[in-house]
């Protein structure tokens, strides 16, 4: 967002900031819910008009609404957005009227040298006698009545923003396309936000021991400096909410957070599945990894909190391990065993707390992104499949074996290979995995999902009859 004109949406809890944010952004990004305190981190999106929008958490939340440490961090994040923004949209509730907290916030913004646009929201039926006139006493020059829910007044507000904002700088040609999009996913409290903060060298995301602290999917641009003579590595980071087991998704907020996380997986190039080194691979981790593969995204594993695992090993060494290197080797072997269905995804042992191996896993992400664009030689592919068939023919089904006559790569991101075969329904899961593993190893596709499209004799005969 550096150098980009920005607008921050601020106000007390539950006045409709996130709904207004989604409306101005032109798509659903922030979670909208009647419960106060849903938005915690600053959520950033590019508006259709070219400026950056920042959605902030409610300022002045009561203690019973959310844990104090999270509320304090939420307000610190809002303070960051206020300071960084070129313009504030101060949102109030037109149905409730002017409250003391609104007046306190107005005074706060003035002391910070800000002159916000006052947005009186929830004017759903303009002909009704709302309390909007009360807000005149705040003394702001620009006041706009809107209904974010029903899209009333949004065009007027958008035109005013373009009038008040400084001239928008030209976008750097191709900048967004140059960024490798990476998402951090995992169970609650494994350290996803901590890893993002370590990369950004700032407390940009709220970190807490309270599971479920992150509810939104937060997008942030990272230009990672690697050396004086090298161009920075450009990434777009997606920090996601921790996904719970389906039986534990006990409210609509958990549900919407899960939906946002799944959408983030669909939008990125690379997914880092973050594990807690002290807990290892859980059933939920396997489910998450499987979902990433279904979406056709490249996948790597980050074993976070490795410093704590080693600290425990040093204090109380486990029997059967010669040293830390042997312990790590065994841990890696265990991960491979539990996540056997992955396409030989690379694994990196990291620590958000100490910064251990941060550059290593970013390099891993760059390598994966490059790998996704590989082209597989058709002749080499067919030779390999033939050799694999000779080495280990598939089991017979109803007296016949599955046989590939010809194979060709038809897509990237994800890799898709079309197999012209005798009977498409005869490719069982064990032999499918055997082929996938061989192709991954031969062509260096570790971490990249591979999908087969099968064309059997029946399908080809039907096509010939139709023609």
């Amino acid at each position: 967002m550096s150098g980009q004109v920005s607008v921050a949406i601020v106000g007390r809890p539950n006045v409709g900031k996130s709904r207004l944010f989604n409306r101005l952004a032109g798509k659903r990004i922030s979670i909208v819910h009647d419960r106060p305190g849903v938005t915690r981190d600053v959520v950033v999106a590019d508006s259709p008009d070219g400026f950056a929008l920042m959605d902030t958490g409610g300022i002045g939340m009561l203690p019973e609404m959310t844990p104090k440490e999270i509320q304090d961090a939420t307000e610190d994040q809002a303070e960051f957005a206020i300071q960084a923004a070129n313009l504030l949209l101060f949102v109030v509730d037109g149905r409730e009227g002017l409250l003391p907290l609104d007046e306190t916030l107005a005074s706060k913004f003035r002391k910070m040298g800000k002159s916000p646009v006052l947005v009186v929201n929830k004017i759903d039926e303009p002909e009704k006698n709302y309390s909007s006139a009360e807000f005149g006493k705040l003394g702001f020059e620009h006041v706009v009545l809107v209904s974010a829910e029903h899209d009333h007044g949004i065009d007027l507000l958008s035109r005013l923003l373009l009038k008040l904002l400084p001239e928008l700088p030209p976008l750097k040609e191709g900048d967004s396309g140059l960024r490798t999009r990476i998402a951090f996913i995992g169970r609650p409290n494994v350290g996803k936000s901590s890893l993002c903060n370590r990369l950004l060298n700032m407390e940009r995301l709220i970190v807490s021991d309270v599971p479920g602290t992150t509810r939104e999917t937060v997008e942030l641009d990272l230009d990672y400096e690697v050396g004086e003579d090298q161009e920075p590595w450009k990434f777009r980071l997606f920090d996601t909410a921790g996904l719970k087991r389906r039986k534990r998704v006990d409210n609509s907020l958990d549900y919407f957070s899960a939906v946002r996380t799944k959408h983030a997986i669909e939008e990125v190039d690379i997914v880092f599945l973050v594990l807690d080194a002290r807990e290892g691979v859980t059933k939920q981790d396997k489910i998450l990894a499987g979902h990433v593969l279904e979406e056709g995204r490249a996948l790597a594993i980050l074993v976070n909190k490795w410093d704590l695992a080693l600290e425990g090993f040093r204090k109380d060494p486990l029997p059967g391990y010669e040293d830390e290197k042997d312990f790590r080797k065994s841990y890696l072997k265990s991960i491979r065993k539990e996540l056997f269905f992955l396409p030989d995804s690379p694994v990196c042992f990291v620590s958000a707390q100490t910064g251990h191996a941060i550059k290593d896993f970013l390099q891993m992400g760059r390598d994966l992104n490059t790998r996704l664009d590989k082209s597989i030689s058709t002749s080499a592919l067919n030779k390999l499949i033939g050799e694999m068939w000779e080495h280990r023919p598939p089991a017979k089904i109803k007296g016949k074996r599955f046989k590939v006559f010809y194979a060709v790569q038809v897509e990237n991101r994800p890799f898709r290979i079309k197999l012209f075969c005798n009977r498409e329904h005869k490719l069982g899961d064990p032999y499918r995995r055997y082929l996938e593993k061989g192709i991954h190893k031969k062509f260096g596709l570790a971490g990249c999902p591979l999908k087969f499209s099968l064309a059997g004799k029946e399908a080809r005969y039907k096509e010939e009859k139709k023609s």
Side-chain angles (χ1 to χ4, degrees):
M1 196 179 71
S2 176
Q4 187 176 8
V5 174
S6 59
V7 174
I9 302 175
V10 297
R12 60 183 175 84
N14 221 30
V15 293
K17 298 184 296 298
S18 293
R19 198 179 292 276
L20 178 63
F21 173 83
N22 289 341
R23 185 67 71 180
L24 290 172
K27 55 185 176 179
R28 293 181 181 179
I29 300 172
S30 286
I31 297 174
V32 176
H33 198 280
D34 290 335
R35 183 192 299 178
V38 172
T39 301
R40 291 171 173 176
D41 291 302
V42 175
V43 181
V44 183
D46 291 328
S47 77
D49 292 316
F51 55 84
L53 282 166
M54 294 187 282
D55 185 23
T56 67
I59 303 172
M61 198 170 298
L62 298 174
E64 60 267 20
M65 294 179 179
T66 196
K68 185 178 184 305
E69 62 177 305
I70 293 179
Q71 176 56 21
D72 289 345
T74 299
E75 297 200 5
D76 287 342
Q77 294 287 295
E79 188 94 3
F80 156 81
I82 293 166
Q83 295 284 6
N86 297 94
L87 184 65
L88 301 185
L89 296 185
F90 177 21
V91 185
V92 293
D93 188 330
R95 291 186 299 198
E96 290 187 348
L98 183 63
L99 298 186
L101 182 53
D102 295 321
E103 296 182 90
T104 300
L105 291 178
S107 176
K108 173 187 177 74
F109 299 148
R110 283 197 177 92
K111 289 178 181 178
M112 297 176 71
K114 299 288 184 177
S115 181
V117 173
L118 184 66
V119 180
V120 184
N121 192 26
K122 304 188 182 180
I123 308 297
D124 302 331
E125 300 175 75
E127 66 277 6
K128 285 193 174 182
N129 185 25
Y130 289 105
S131 305
S132 55
E134 297 178 9
F135 295 101
K137 66 182 293 187
L138 294 178
F140 292 117
E141 179 182 357
H142 301 288
V143 181
V144 183
L145 309 184
V146 306
S147 168
E149 183 171 2
H150 298 291
D151 200 19
H152 297 157
I154 301 300
D155 286 342
L156 177 62
L157 177 60
S158 297
R159 289 196 296 272
L160 178 61
L161 291 180
L162 290 177
K163 180 181 176 182
L164 296 177
L165 286 170
E167 185 177 352
L168 300 177
L171 294 175
K172 294 180 181 179
E173 186 177 350
D175 181 66
S176 61
L178 292 174
R179 292 191 179 276
T180 301
R181 298 166 298 171
I182 58 178
F184 296 87
I185 70 167
R187 295 176 294 109
N189 220 32
V190 294
K192 301 180 295 295
S193 294
S194 296
L195 284 167
C196 285
N197 283 337
R198 170 60 68 173
L199 289 171
L200 295 163
N201 290 319
M202 61 188 293
E203 293 301 314
R204 176 61 180 79
L205 300 168
I206 297 174
V207 178
S208 167
D209 289 334
V210 179
T213 299
T214 301
R215 285 174 172 166
E216 314 277 359
T217 294
V218 183
E219 297 180 35
L220 300 162
D221 284 349
L222 168 67
D223 292 343
Y224 187 79
E225 300 291 342
V226 289
E228 294 181 2
D229 300 329
Q230 299 183 54
E231 288 291 320
W233 296 349
K234 292 180 177 291
F235 298 94
R236 176 157 292 172
L237 311 179
F238 290 67
D239 179 34
T240 66
L243 290 183
K244 302 178 181 178
R245 293 176 60 184
R246 186 167 295 178
K247 291 181 180 178
R248 295 183 181 177
V249 177
D250 52 10
N251 60 54
S252 57
L253 285 181
D254 288 339
Y255 170 76
F256 286 121
S257 294
V259 169
R260 293 290 194 272
T261 296
K262 289 174 181 176
H263 284 171
I265 292 171
E266 295 167 4
E267 292 180 19
V268 301
D269 305 299
I270 312 297
V271 176
F272 285 117
L273 174 61
V274 184
L275 308 180
D276 187 326
R278 299 168 300 178
E279 299 177 12
V281 179
T282 68
K283 182 178 180 180
Q284 182 65 4
D285 295 322
K286 296 177 183 179
I287 293 172
L288 290 174
H291 180 71
V292 174
L293 293 188
E294 287 174 10
E295 293 300 327
R297 297 298 177 261
L299 177 65
I301 309 298
L302 298 184
V303 184
N304 191 28
K305 307 182 185 180
W306 186 241
D307 56 320
L308 299 181
L310 287 183
E311 183 182 328
F313 180 80
R314 290 164 188 156
K315 288 181 179 178
D316 186 19
L318 297 172
Y321 302 104
E322 296 180 4
D323 50 26
E324 292 179 10
K325 185 178 180 181
D326 190 37
F327 173 60
R328 173 172 167 155
K329 183 178 179 181
S330 178
Y331 198 108
L332 177 60
K333 185 178 180 181
S334 174
I335 290 175
R336 295 288 186 208
K337 181 180 179 181
E338 293 293 329
L339 299 174
F340 66 91
F341 54 90
L342 295 187
D344 196 25
S345 292
V347 178
C348 193
F349 294 83
V350 304
S351 169
Q353 184 68 30
T354 67
H356 174 67
I358 294 296
K359 184 178 179 181
D360 292 345
F361 83 73
L362 287 179
Q363 181 64 63
M364 183 185 294
R366 282 167 54 84
D367 292 343
L368 277 171
N369 193 47
T370 301
R371 204 170 294 157
L372 286 168
D373 293 321
K374 270 191 173 184
S375 293
I376 301 174
S377 162
T378 301
S379 59
L381 176 63
N382 282 275
K383 180 182 179 183
L384 172 67
I385 291 177
E387 290 172 349
M388 292 181 70
W389 196 93
E390 291 293 336
H391 177 72
R392 179 185 154 187
K396 289 183 179 181
I397 299 178
K398 294 183 179 179
K400 292 186 177 181
R401 298 186 195 276
F402 173 79
K403 176 71 175 178
V404 177
F405 301 119
Y406 181 72
V408 61
Q409 179 189 358
V410 292
E411 286 182 18
N412 288 80
R413 297 178 180 264
F415 287 99
R416 188 176 298 276
I417 293 175
K418 190 164 188 176
L419 302 178
F420 295 86
C421 53
N422 56 349
R423 295 291 186 270
E424 59 190 72
H425 62 273
K426 293 186 184 297
L427 177 57
D429 287 339
Y431 205 75
R432 180 187 295 269
R433 286 195 294 268
Y434 170 66
L435 290 178
E436 287 175 353
K437 187 173 182 180
I439 293 170
H440 275 112
K441 184 176 180 180
K442 174 68 176 179
F443 299 106
L445 305 181
C448 302
L450 179 64
K451 296 180 180 290
F452 292 127
S453 295
L454 278 69
K457 278 187 176 180
E458 297 93 341
R460 288 187 285 134
Y461 291 157
K462 288 177 183 177
E463 288 173 4
E464 289 173 6
K465 288 178 182 179
K466 287 179 182 178
S467 62

